[in-house]
Amino acid sequence: MEQLTKEQFIKDFKAQLHTDYLVDNNEATAEEHFRTLGKLIKRYVMSDWLRRRDEIVKEQKKTAYYFSIEFLPGKMLQTNLLNLGIYDLVTEALADINVDLTVLVEAERDMALGNGGLGRLASCFMDSLPTIGAPGFGNGIRYKYGLFKQRIVNGYQVELPDAWLPSEGSVWETKKPHSAVDVKIYGSVYLAPQEDGALKPIYENVKTLHAVPYDVIQIGFNNGVVNNLRLWDVELPEKYELDYQTLADRRRVEDITSFLYPDDSSRDGQAMRLIQEYFMVSAGLQTIVASYAKMQLPMAKIHEKVAVHINDTHPAMAVPELMRILMDDYGVKWDDAWATTTQVMSYTNHTVLSEALEKWDTGLFKEIVPRIHQIIGEIDRKFVKEWAGKVDTGIIDRTRIVQNNQIHMANLAIIGGHSVNGVAKLHTELLIEDVLKEFYVLFPEKFNNKTNGIAQRRWSQIANPGMSALLDDLIGKGWRSNIHELSELEELLTRSDVQTSFYQVKQANKQKLADYVKKTLDIDLPIDAIFDVQVKRLHAYKRQLLNVMHIIKLYQDLKDDPGLEMTPRVFIFGAKAAPGYHFAKSVIKIINELANLINYDTSLNDKLKVVFLENYNVSLAELIVPAADVSEQISTAGKEASGTSNMKFMMNGALTLATLDGANIEIKDAVGEDNIVIFGMDKDAVYAHYDKHDYNSRAIYDSDPTIKRVVDAFIDGTIPNTHYEGHEIWDALISYNDEYFLLEDFTDYAEKQAYISELYQDKPIWQAKVIKNIANSGRFSSDDTIEGYAKDIWGII
Ligand code: GL7
């Protein structure tokens, strides 16, 4: 953008307010101020955005498209101001006209088009791609409702719709009706032989959806590069309006882009989900291929200009859909289409949990996407034929796409692409050795690792201005553009004035969080206590329950001996449970009732507090992460693919209490064993139990009185109002043999927690570890991660 002055900005801002709202600055609402600023930002970057588009077309740059069913950007105002290099200027200019930027920030709604780490990672990548100057664009769905809004009522999770999208649309998006395309679903298709011997698909009784793109600006950090995230919305095609005569018909179409993850416990819900996946994939690919076609290059070489990334299995239909477009719309022969498609496609696996690897009923495919169903059948047939006789038939049976009338989406993504990556070293190892080992036999060259990263600007400069100012003082401002300069802190670990400064910043951040807790929950948090935080989706493998068990133990210890010397602790939870995940919801209820029990028990003398913050989301994370002393990353080893909050906490100077799982291992490698607290079984120990079938939680329970007492607290009335949930948990731990090994890991966990309490008392030692963590956090920048994708997988830089 052009050089901007404060005066010019103020003039622009007032003029825009007049144009849009016919209002003077001092009368406008925060919402009006926010939208006005958003529009100005878009205006300022418009020329960069257009130039970017023209440059890609003119120079025929190879471009990557990141297909993801989830994006979780949170708020964009601060990121956009920062990346544009006008954060300070705008803050000051607004202050001059009595407008407080923080109020505008509050007015923005979180864009929560995702669940957790997977969607957040996609958004970190959207920030990093333009920042490293790479031509990389997102492709997803413009859901009207984001992930549900969580309220806690009587300790229970209640889910409310998250209507994040204002009726005027998001200020960051631009609707592009001229780029709309039609997507066909349902009906039937048969192949009619043509004179030249080719087969032409003839469709009958299809339903046509009109896919309209909204492009959301993605501004690179201080480099004038603007990419975009393309989100697709559905509209009724006027041409086919007779197909949708009743209001119910129309609503059903509109619903396609209503919700992220429609309830898929019914066949109708599953159909909706499948339509979403196809809708996003087909619309995206049609426009990508059309813009490639304009280059007048051979269709069979599209992989030289286009890379499509399949983020998790949801967009895996990109493989047959590209085949369809190339063959049916552009007349490319199967073998050529297949050769280029497999070079275009690449896939990231984000989990080892088998329930998360999508499988679809073939009947549903045949009904909703009949042509895709045909193509998948053919890909599968050719795959089996190609490998027959070369490898064990068992391997073919287990790696093929269609098995027992189910379509295995991961298999499709792996067979149909040239790259499969895991998201942390251990995770990639597990894919190779276990989860996808038979694919590794077939395609060893496809496998690679790309450890996750975080958009460090959001998680340091924006979320933690106090720490950022301190870093500027200590090592200069260079770290703001080159995060690796944080390593200069290594020289300062033991300087006591530096330690004190970091301590003060942390205490100020804790105070800010404490103020929020006071305001929202009316609980007083002592900021000299250790703030011990576990924020993430609620899932049994993440073991929030292990944390709870430890809190119960501390509670019991204090009740036994009210005079007990103990470093005060504040345990902070934030977690949404999937609406249909019963057990997870019971854990939420337990946490809330335990919190009620503990927080109002004056005999505990403020040594223990427990808070559950409702509606955990990106914005709340920006408040919580900088305030943490301890970061709980306690999943059963081998289960958490990577984790990314672990990286955010580290960058903000929390000590990680962790199992050797996911990226925790790489954090340990970065800071050294002394600067992280590791406990529990490693992956080999966990796998040994799987192999030997020798785990017996009841035996541990029977033989260890401390554990028995803790576990019994779930059913002996210790925690009020949890009769049902307590029994459910007790059963999971004892009757059903504790699937995630909480009992086995408990003793070590509790010991390491005690060690942390002790350590925290020794400020110089604690602070040196804090600074060591910050100093080594630069390696988890998503700029670096995405550079790896861009170079090794997509070949775009
Ligand atoms: C996840 C993994 O569980 C998480 O460990 C990883 O950090 C993240 C991004 O790679 O992907 N997989 C998944 O399905 N969700 C995740 O957060 C929701």
Side-chain angles (χ1 to χ4, degrees):
M1 65 178 281
E2 306 282 307
Q3 195 63 35
L4 187 68
T5 62
K6 244 166 58 169
E7 292 66 35
Q8 184 62 41
F9 171 78
I10 292 173
K11 215 167 119 203
D12 293 346
F13 186 75
K14 288 184 170 169
Q16 189 79 39
L17 261 180
H18 283 157
T19 314
D20 290 339
Y21 298 108
L22 215 68
V23 74
D24 281 335
N25 172 44
N26 49 5
E27 292 159 343
T29 63
E31 165 76 18
E32 287 164 345
H33 276 148
F34 160 69
R35 288 190 72 86
T36 300
L37 181 53
K39 283 201 181 169
L40 267 189
I41 290 175
K42 241 168 73 182
R43 226 177 77 193
Y44 291 153
V45 301
M46 202 48 73
S47 57
D48 286 341
W49 201 6
L50 288 168
R51 183 166 34 81
R52 178 69 169 163
R53 201 192 56 186
D54 293 347
E55 183 183 279
I56 289 174
V57 173
K58 215 182 301 143
E59 295 170 25
Q60 303 198 336
K61 285 195 172 172
K62 183 172 184 186
T63 303
Y65 299 89
Y66 195 83
F67 279 34
S68 180
I69 201 106
E70 296 188 22
F71 287 92
L72 194 46
K75 300 184 185 200
M76 288 306 293
L77 178 59
Q78 285 171 291
T79 289
N80 286 341
L81 288 172
L82 182 82
N83 288 5
L84 262 183
I86 57 171
Y87 196 110
D88 293 341
L89 180 140
V90 167
T91 312
E92 287 167 26
L94 288 175
D96 286 355
I97 53 170
N98 291 322
V99 178
D100 181 353
L101 180 67
T102 56
V103 177
L104 274 62
V105 169
E106 281 301 304
E108 181 173 6
R109 299 290 307 268
D110 262 53
M111 198 170 171
L113 314 186
N115 245 298
L118 182 145
R120 182 54 227 168
L121 182 76
S123 287
C124 285
F125 286 173
M126 288 301 110
D127 187 314
S128 289
L129 275 163
T131 294
I132 66 161
F137 297 80
N139 189 78
I141 297 178
R142 182 177 182 263
Y143 305 100
K144 308 288 174 320
Y145 297 90
L147 182 63
F148 67 86
K149 181 169 160 195
Q150 181 193 54
R151 293 288 311 276
I152 301 296
V153 179
N154 294 330
Y156 293 107
Q157 166 174 298
V158 174
E159 298 116 32
L160 300 175
D162 169 44
W164 73 279
L165 190 65
S167 52
E168 323 84 283
S170 157
V171 73
W172 308 119
E173 67 189 11
T174 302
K175 184 174 179 177
K176 298 256 188 77
H178 55 277
S179 302
V181 290
D182 284 348
V183 173
K184 292 193 181 70
I185 51 174
Y186 290 109
S188 58
V189 64
Y190 67 91
L191 299 174
Q194 305 295 291
E195 278 175 11
D196 63 357
L199 295 171
K200 185 173 176 222
I202 309 289
Y203 293 82
E204 279 174 352
N205 301 321
V206 295
K207 295 250 184 224
T208 305
L209 306 170
H210 198 55
V212 184
Y214 289 71
D215 286 354
V216 181
I217 45 169
Q218 305 292 323
I219 304 172
F221 179 67
N222 271 341
N223 64 357
V225 175
V226 182
N227 289 351
N228 58 263
L229 162 60
R230 176 160 282 193
L231 298 178
W232 292 95
D233 202 351
V234 70
E235 288 183 9
L236 286 168
E238 237 178 80
K239 210 166 117 195
Y240 303 102
E241 64 185 355
L242 282 173
D243 289 352
Y244 305 99
Q245 297 184 6
T246 67
L247 212 52
D249 282 346
R250 289 171 179 242
R251 288 231 173 92
R252 192 158 160 77
V253 171
E254 283 161 9
D255 267 354
I256 293 173
T257 53
S258 284
F259 298 99
L260 162 78
Y261 298 135
D263 176 7
D264 60 1
S265 49
S266 67
R267 195 170 193 274
D268 260 12
Q270 287 164 18
M272 186 60 97
R273 177 79 170 150
L274 189 64
I275 293 170
Q276 284 187 332
E277 294 183 356
Y278 182 64
F279 175 74
M280 160 190 121
V281 156
S282 178
L285 282 173
Q286 287 186 53
T287 47
I288 290 165
V289 178
S291 62
Y292 173 75
K294 286 200 198 129
M295 292 187 200
Q296 312 260 358
L297 298 169
M299 271 298 155
K301 292 200 175 238
I302 189 168
H303 60 277
E304 292 180 0
K305 297 293 173 192
V306 171
V308 171
H309 200 75
I310 299 172
N311 187 38
D312 219 48
T313 51
H314 323 110
M317 260 187 280
V319 173
E321 176 64 4
L322 182 57
M323 290 293 287
R324 182 193 72 76
I325 296 172
L326 291 175
M327 294 188 303
D328 297 356
D329 298 349
Y330 293 90
V332 181
K333 296 269 180 300
W334 180 284
D335 288 345
D336 291 340
W338 181 247
T340 193
T341 296
T342 49
Q343 287 309 299
V344 167
M345 300 292 162
S346 49
Y347 158 64
T348 298
N349 173 289
H350 290 272
T351 182
V352 300
L353 304 182
S354 61
E355 69 261 28
L357 297 178
E358 281 180 300
K359 294 169 201 74
W360 289 103
D361 177 37
T362 41
L364 206 61
F365 253 72
K366 198 167 175 190
E367 185 188 331
I368 293 171
V369 280
R371 180 71 179 127
I372 294 302
H373 175 255
Q374 277 178 349
I375 294 173
I376 289 177
E378 188 60 14
I379 296 174
D380 186 53
R381 197 184 63 78
K382 284 188 170 359
F383 170 79
V384 172
K385 195 167 147 220
E386 184 192 336
W387 287 100
K390 293 190 191 140
V391 289
D392 186 63
T393 51
I395 294 189
I396 300 173
D397 290 345
R398 287 183 297 267
T399 52
R400 62 184 294 182
I401 299 163
V402 188
Q403 296 173 30
N404 304 321
N405 288 322
Q406 285 198 310
I407 296 180
H408 290 236
M409 301 301 268
N411 303 11
L412 176 61
I414 298 169
I415 292 167
H418 65 94
S419 168
V420 180
N421 74 282
V423 290
K425 278 185 197 154
L426 175 70
H427 174 230
T428 302
E429 270 167 45
L430 284 169
L431 294 181
I432 289 175
E433 287 164 13
D434 179 24
V435 187
L436 302 176
K437 64 172 187 273
E438 296 187 315
F439 285 103
Y440 188 72
V441 172
L442 306 179
F443 313 114
E445 72 291 349
K446 292 189 187 183
F447 285 76
N448 62 94
N449 178 57
K450 297 284 170 286
T451 297
N452 286 164
I454 55 171
Q456 73 272 11
R457 292 164 289 279
R458 181 180 290 261
W459 300 104
S460 55
Q461 299 183 52
I462 292 173
N464 201 341
M467 182 181 79
S468 302
L470 175 59
L471 289 170
D472 290 348
D473 283 350
L474 295 172
I475 57 172
K477 290 186 181 217
W479 70 276
R480 288 180 182 259
S481 39
N482 177 8
I483 194 74
H484 299 288
E485 287 188 14
L486 287 180
S487 62
E488 290 171 24
L489 289 172
E490 285 279 356
E491 312 289 310
L492 310 174
L493 301 183
T494 53
R495 236 174 69 184
S496 79
D497 58 328
V498 173
Q499 294 188 343
T500 307
S501 301
F502 275 103
Y503 176 74
Q504 285 165 346
V505 166
K506 181 64 77 184
Q507 293 307 100
N509 291 336
K510 286 162 77 172
Q511 187 59 54
K512 219 168 119 194
L513 179 59
D515 292 345
Y516 176 83
V517 170
K518 178 72 185 164
K519 197 174 86 197
T520 52
L521 293 170
D522 197 23
I523 298 171
D524 292 297
L525 299 184
I527 65 160
D528 58 343
I530 297 176
F531 276 29
D532 181 320
V533 183
Q534 188 171 21
V535 283
K536 48 186 78 251
R537 289 303 299 264
L538 216 139
H539 203 293
Y541 83 80
K542 293 179 189 279
R543 302 200 296 190
Q544 280 94 349
L545 200 53
L546 180 60
N547 190 342
V548 168
M549 286 171 62
H550 172 244
I551 298 170
I552 294 173
K553 178 180 180 300
L554 293 181
Y555 172 74
Q556 290 171 337
D557 290 348
L558 279 170
K559 289 309 265 185
D560 290 349
D561 175 8
L564 189 73
E565 282 289 323
M566 197 185 108
T567 313
R569 283 264 186 158
V570 172
F571 290 94
I572 296 164
F573 293 90
K576 289 183 183 176
Y581 193 172
H582 197 272
F583 175 83
K585 289 178 151 181
S586 294
V587 175
I588 290 180
K589 171 72 171 167
I590 290 274
I591 295 173
N592 281 305
E593 292 296 342
L594 185 64
N596 275 338
L597 173 72
I598 288 176
N599 296 338
Y600 302 106
D601 186 336
T602 47
S603 78
L604 304 176
N605 292 323
D606 273 358
K607 286 181 199 156
L608 209 53
K609 293 278 171 193
V610 180
V611 288
F612 186 96
L613 293 173
E614 72 182 1
N615 203 34
Y616 177 62
N617 60 13
V618 175
S619 291
L620 200 49
E622 289 171 26
L623 179 67
I624 297 171
V625 171
D629 294 307
V630 174
S631 151
E632 299 258 4
Q633 308 298 338
I634 60 179
S635 50
T636 309
K639 294 290 179 203
E640 188 71 270
S642 162
T644 41
S645 76
N646 43 5
M647 302 166 185
K648 295 164 197 164
F649 282 110
M650 172 198 192
M651 190 170 278
N652 283 276
L655 255 57
T656 312
L657 170 58
T659 47
L660 286 173
D661 199 15
N664 302 341
I665 297 176
E666 286 153 81
I667 293 180
K668 186 194 80 159
D669 294 344
V671 297
E673 277 176 8
D674 291 347
N675 297 296
I676 184 170
V677 183
I678 300 290
F679 76 96
M681 287 188 278
D682 62 9
K683 165 230 133 193
D684 290 339
V686 169
Y687 272 58
H689 279 315
Y690 293 149
D691 289 345
K692 294 191 208 134
H693 299 284
D694 62 350
Y695 185 65
N696 183 349
S697 65
R698 190 179 283 273
I700 302 176
Y701 169 84
D702 285 336
S703 64
D704 185 324
T706 308
I707 288 182
K708 182 168 191 309
R709 189 172 176 215
V710 166
V711 173
D712 284 346
F714 290 115
I715 52 168
D716 66 8
T718 304
I719 310 169
N721 310 318
T722 54
H723 177 81
Y724 179 80
E725 293 78 14
H727 277 85
E728 186 184 2
I729 285 169
W730 194 95
D731 281 344
L733 293 175
I734 308 302
S735 315
Y736 298 111
N737 202 25
D738 181 20
E739 187 180 350
Y740 295 101
F741 309 110
L742 281 69
L743 268 58
E744 172 143 354
D745 277 351
F746 179 80
T747 307
D748 197 16
Y749 178 66
E751 276 169 17
K752 295 292 158 55
Q753 282 283 25
Y755 164 72
I756 283 176
S757 288
E758 219 176 281
L759 204 63
Y760 190 72
Q761 300 290 348
D762 191 333
K763 286 278 168 302
I765 293 199
W766 181 272
Q767 285 306 130
K769 293 183 196 302
V770 164
I771 303 169
K772 179 87 183 174
N773 271 271
I774 301 169
N776 289 283
S777 61
R779 76 158 74 175
F780 297 106
S781 154
S782 56
D783 298 350
D784 293 356
T785 308
I786 211 65
E787 198 177 310
Y789 279 82
K791 280 191 183 140
D792 309 344
I793 302 180
W794 306 327
I796 55 168
I797 55 170

